[in-house]
């Protein structure tokens, strides 16, 4: 709220909302902190948050807010880059419940959708009928229709299908004063009838008609006729030549006018086959010069990237294989063609290539018609924001001038002058985006912390606005105006049309309560900064040394998240399993990162390491490390969780599950003295229930049985023949494969020795402490690692390879070890010479001839193997065996160490994670199909959830050796 407006009493408002709606009203400090920002530079702590379950909840929420004078902000995926999704208001999050396809009409090529529906959910459903929704921003797997309509989103295929406004037919809307109506295109006769009907609806249409008639000449004059004009209200749609289309006029209004309850959208034909051509030019400017010529070949997508973006990806080692696929050059165009057959799509692509090849300055070229390979290349473009947001050795980059657009035929000149402007101000930024429509994305290293830096940024965006307008362009080509660009709108439209904007908003929202301070009468671009001159987080003593560009500081680590929300996707990859299970923002990587940032601000969260809101958000983190690999800015929530919990519980008792599962190494050693007796307590009726109660385990779970003979006991007592003369290696006897699954370790010994290696096992009892991290027991974990460094010092310095079987334990050596002991050279050495069995075999492929095993198999990868290790090596080894292999894109199994064994919500989330893909797939697999999973927890989840025994890679190799009947 602005200008000294009094805020409503939050407690009274919250109580009224909770009485009125079936959904939730969350006015606690944690929820307010969680929704304090979007993907922009801005931060405004809301009054409270509403999670509506039904459309009626939305109606009631506005009624209550109206009664108390509270402003309202409707929100979808919360990925807005211009600040339009944060405000001192009651935030309504539609994404959790109001996310359905109401109706899909393939014949009419229409769909009715709720505002919280994720774009890809509609696209997937429409593809079954050969249709799609054309606009597809890079966030397509987690952005919502409400947000797309609010921002007038576009994306790669807007070249083929236009912006969101071109694809909206009708909207069901709700005004702040309670009017609910459907709007769309309006004939002159219908318009006259509506005006005559009177009432609030008649008044709206009358005033819109008057606004149109008064400003029509100016609208035609001042709005640039370019493919990507997103800035300003969509007043051209009120003109007669555009059918007085009220729905489309509201597209791009950023929640400042109405709340969207439902949308009827247009579907377009989706080509069955797509072929990608990548063109390499000397630089991005030359690439842009050729855009008009390439557009004559009618591509379905035309994107551009520059050498700065590719260079940043190389520095971050982000998608290295994808980058290698690019042809030579310093600027690239990604040109997609569609067709009803591969030959048709290829033919169009080759026509372009032939035309370009005939020119004296022909670019380098590559054609990709394999969908998987093309998707790999597209990942380079889609990773633009994350690739440039936090680059090692360079200042942080921010939005602020990331969305300008010009006529495509003028793009080359504009890019050259924009780069010159960057150089004038000393800014660095990549240039990439939707070149086929003249839209340029970039992030620049603005200084948004010092007064001088902020003043310089303010001057830059004004000069940048003058530049883009001189080229006949738009301040925004996709992301909207929000707060970033609203101050600049008079430059683009003139003061008279700005008056029309104010009038347009007032027609819908006379009290000014819909997302106030955005787009119209907006805050300055340098107000409400998430950082700003007051940003001064405390310096905290931590166990981990946060590496690289975090400068060792936890506060720097909490700045990583840029809010793009890749962790909110519901399918594919590893992250974020708890969000997929609950749909709750606080259980996404983004939500947790945001709360950790807010924790250091001191308002509204005030208890630092002891804050219960942060603890609640982290509680359902499975520490899968998926974000460490898949988050575009490498947020490492597993590490942050361990660090937080170590301080949260300092001087406090932990839950009993922490002592039962976190200390499993010591319990297992104790049980190994009398494993049968231990199993009496954990496996027999009544006693096992008592054991689970004492351990804090879920009653539905079966506690793993201790092995009668631990692996190390077997290893040191086995008959030893002639000593092997091969290379000496250390096999790491992790707690799980030592005490619970010794058959896995024994299989590994057989495989490695049959290949000629001299296998040794440490005699000293050692443990990497993997379970300790999940409970924040970092002092004890460091002690365990120190014991390992001391016990293995001779082998470490001799370069003896250490081969591990449990991915989570090997990941400790590669990850936690070096972050807890960053200055210890032995820790660095051990990290480099520790390998998962699959990694070791691939590295040693010259020494190891794989046997053949002609079977079908399903492979589920351990999260830590995917995030920290080289999961591809496991696939290589299995395919090398000749297996007919299906690799599941199954995400986290849900067991995640002890997480899935624990009672309550942990168990429930664990089951939901497993049931998303892994468990149903395993259940449906024929009996003869091998199920391969190398993680102990993954094997337990499969056994207990699907009733199948999963094999470790070592056991598959042992099976192959047995079928061949001898050593390699």
């Amino acid at each position: 709220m602005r200008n000294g407006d009094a805020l409503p009493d939050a407690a009274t408002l919250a109580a009224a909302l909770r009485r009125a709606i079936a959904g939730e009203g969350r006015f606690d400090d944690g929820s307010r902190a969680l929704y304090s920002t979007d993907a922009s530079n801005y931060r405004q702590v809301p009054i409270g948050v509403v999670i509506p379950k039904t459309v009626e909840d939305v109606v009631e929420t506005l009624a209550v807010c109206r009664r108390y004078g509270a402003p309202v902000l409707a929100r979808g995926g919360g990925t807005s880059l211009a600040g339009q999704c944060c405000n001192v208001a009651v935030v309504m999050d539609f994404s959790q419940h109001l996310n359905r396809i109401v109706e899909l009409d393939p014949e009419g090529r229409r769909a009715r959708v709720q505002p919280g529906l994720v774009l890809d959910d509609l696209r997937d459903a429409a593809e079954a009928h050969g249709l799609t929704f054309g606009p597809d921003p890079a966030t397509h797997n987690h952005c919502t229709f409400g947000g797309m309509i609010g921002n007038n989103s576009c994306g790669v295929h807007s070249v083929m299908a236009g912006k969101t406004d071109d694809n909206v037919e009708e909207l069901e809307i709700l005004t702040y004063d309670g009017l609910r109506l459907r709007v769309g295109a309006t004939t002159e006769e219908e318009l006259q009838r509506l005006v005559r009907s009177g009432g609030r609806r008649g008044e709206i249409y009358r005033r819109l008609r008057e606004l149109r008639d008064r400003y029509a000449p100016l609208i035609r004059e001042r709005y640039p006729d370019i493919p990507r004009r997103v800035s300003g209200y969509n007043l051209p749609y009120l003109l007669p030549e555009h059918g007085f289309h009220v729905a489309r006029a509201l597209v791009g209004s950023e929640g400042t006018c109405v709340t969207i309850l439902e949308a009827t959208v247009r579907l377009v034909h989706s080509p069955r086959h797509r072929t990608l051509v990548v063109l390499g030019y000397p630089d991005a400017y030359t690439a842009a010069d050729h855009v008009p010529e390439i557009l004559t070949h009618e591509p379905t997508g035309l994107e551009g990237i520059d050498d700065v973006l590719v260079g940043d990806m190389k520095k971050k080692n982000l998608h290295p294989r994808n980058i290698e696929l690019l042809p030579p050059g310093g600027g690239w165009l990604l040109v997609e063609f569609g067709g009803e057959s591969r030959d048709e799509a290829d033919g169009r692509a080759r026509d372009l290539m032939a035309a370009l090849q005939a020119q004296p300055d022909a670019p380098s070229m590559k054609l990709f018609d394999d969908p998987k390979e093309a998707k790999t290349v597209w990942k380079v473009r889609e990773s633009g924001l994350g690739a440039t947001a936090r680059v090692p050795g360079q200042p942080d980059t921010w939005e602020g001038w990331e969305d300008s657009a010009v006529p495509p035929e003028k793009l080359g000149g504009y890019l050259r002058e924009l780069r010159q402007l960057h150089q004038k101000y000393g800014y660095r930024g990549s240039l990439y985006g939707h070149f086929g429509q003249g839209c340029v994305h970039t992030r620049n290293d603005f200084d948004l912390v010092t007064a001088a830096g902020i003043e310089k940024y303010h001057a830059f965006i004004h000069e940048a606005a003058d530049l883009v307008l001189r080229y006949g362009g738009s301040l925004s080509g996709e992301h909207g105006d929000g707060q970033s660009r609203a101050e600049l709108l008079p430059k683009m439209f003139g003061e008279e049309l700005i008056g029309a904007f104010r009038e347009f908003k007032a027609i819908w929202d006379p009290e000014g309560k819909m997302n106030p301070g955005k787009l119209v009468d907006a805050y300055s671009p340098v107000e409400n900064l998430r950082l700003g001159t007051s940003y001064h987080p405390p310096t905290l003593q931590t166990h981990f040394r946060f590496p690289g560009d975090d400068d060792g500081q936890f506060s720097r680590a909490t700045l990583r998240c840029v809010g793009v929300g890749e962790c909110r996707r519901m399918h594919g990859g590893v992250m974020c399993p708890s969000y997929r299970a609950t749909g709750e923002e606080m259980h996404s990587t983004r939500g947790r990162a945001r709360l950790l940032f807010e924790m250091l601000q001191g308002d509204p969260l005030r208890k630092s390491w002891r804050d219960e809101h942060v603890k609640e958000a982290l509680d359902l983190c499975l520490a899968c490390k998926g974000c460490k690999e898949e988050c575009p800015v490498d947020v490492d929530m597993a590490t942050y969780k361990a660090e937080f919990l170590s301080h949260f519980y300092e001087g406090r008792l932990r839950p009993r599950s922490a002592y039962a599962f976190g200390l499993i190494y010591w319990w297992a050693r104790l049980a190994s003295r009398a494993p049968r007796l231990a199993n009496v307590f954990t496996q027999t009726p009544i006693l096992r229930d008592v054991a689970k109660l004492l351990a804090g385990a879920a009653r539905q779970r079966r506690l793993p049985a201790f092995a009668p003979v631990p692996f190390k006991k077997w290893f040191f007592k086995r008959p030893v023949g002639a000593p092997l003369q091969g290379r000496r290696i250390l096999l790491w006897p992790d707690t799980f494969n030592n005490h619970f699954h010794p058959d896995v370790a024994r299989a590994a010994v057989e495989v490695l020795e049959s290949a000629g290696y001299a296998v040794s096992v440490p005699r000293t009892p050692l443990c990497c402490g993997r379970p300790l991290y999940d409970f924040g027991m970092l002092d004890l974990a460091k002690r365990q690692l120190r014991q390992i460094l001391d016990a293995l010092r001779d082998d470490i310095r001799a370069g003896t390879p250490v081969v591990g079987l449990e991915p989570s334990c090997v990941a400790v050596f590669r990850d936690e070890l070096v972050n807890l002991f960053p200055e210890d050279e032995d820790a660095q050495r051990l990290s480099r010479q520790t390998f998962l069995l699959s990694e070791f075999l691939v590295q040693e492929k010259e020494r190891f001839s794989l046997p053949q095993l002609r079977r079908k198999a399903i492979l589920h990868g351990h999260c830590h193997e995917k995030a920290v290790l080289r999961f591809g090596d496991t696939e290589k080894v299995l395919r090398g065996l000749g297996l007919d292999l299906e690799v599941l894109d199954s995400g986290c199994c849900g067991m995640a160490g002890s997480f899935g064994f624990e009672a309550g919500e942990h168990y429930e989330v664990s089951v939901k994670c497993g049931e998303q893909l892994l468990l149903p797939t395993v259940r449906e697999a024929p009996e003869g199909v091998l199920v391969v999973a190398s993680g102990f927890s993954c094997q337990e989840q499969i056994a207990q959830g699907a009733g199948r025994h999963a094999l470790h890679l070592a056991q598959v190799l042992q099976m192959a050796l047995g079928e061949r009947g001898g050593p390699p």
Side-chain angles (χ1 to χ4, degrees), residues 44 49 67 70 88 162 252 264 346 408 607 619 659 789 793 820:
Q44 292 176 278
V49 179
R67 192 185 319 149
V88 184
T264 301
D346 283 359
K607 296 183 179 179
D619 182 60
Y659 302 105
L789 292 172
R793 181 158 285 114
L820 288 170

Side-chain angles (χ1 to χ4, degrees), residues 143 324 326 361 414 462 501-502 554 560 620 631 739:
C143 69
E324 290 173 2
L326 298 176
D361 57 348
Y414 173 65
H462 274 268
F501 291 176
R502 291 193 182 97
F554 182 73
R560 276 191 172 275
L620 292 187
C631 170
H739 292 286

Side-chain angles (χ1 to χ4, degrees), residues 938-957:
C938 304
Q939 293 167 356
E940 283 296 316
Q941 180 78 310
I942 291 167
Q944 299 195 30
R948 292 286 291 268
H949 175 65
L951 297 174
H952 190 281
L953 173 64
Q955 294 171 305
V956 178
L957 288 163

Side-chain angles (χ1 to χ4, degrees), residues 20 72 76 97 103 231 242 284 346 383 471 523 557 661 670 705 778 800 825:
V72 172
H97 299 297
E103 181 185 13
S231 278
H242 296 298
D346 283 359
S383 299
Y471 273 86
Y523 296 101
F661 297 113
L670 181 63
L778 296 186
T800 305
E825 279 301 321

Side-chain angles (χ1 to χ4, degrees), residues 882-898:
L883 288 170
D884 180 1
L885 187 66
E886 178 186 359
V887 182
L888 299 184
D889 189 6
S890 47
C892 181
C893 73
M895 191 66 84
S898 65

Side-chain angles (χ1 to χ4, degrees), residues 24 33 73 196 200 511 523 574 618 639 654 758 773 906:
E24 296 179 70
L73 165 60
R196 286 196 303 268
R200 175 72 171 116
E511 295 185 52
Y523 296 101
V574 179
L618 290 171
T639 297
R654 288 173 166 82
Y773 299 96
H906 285 208

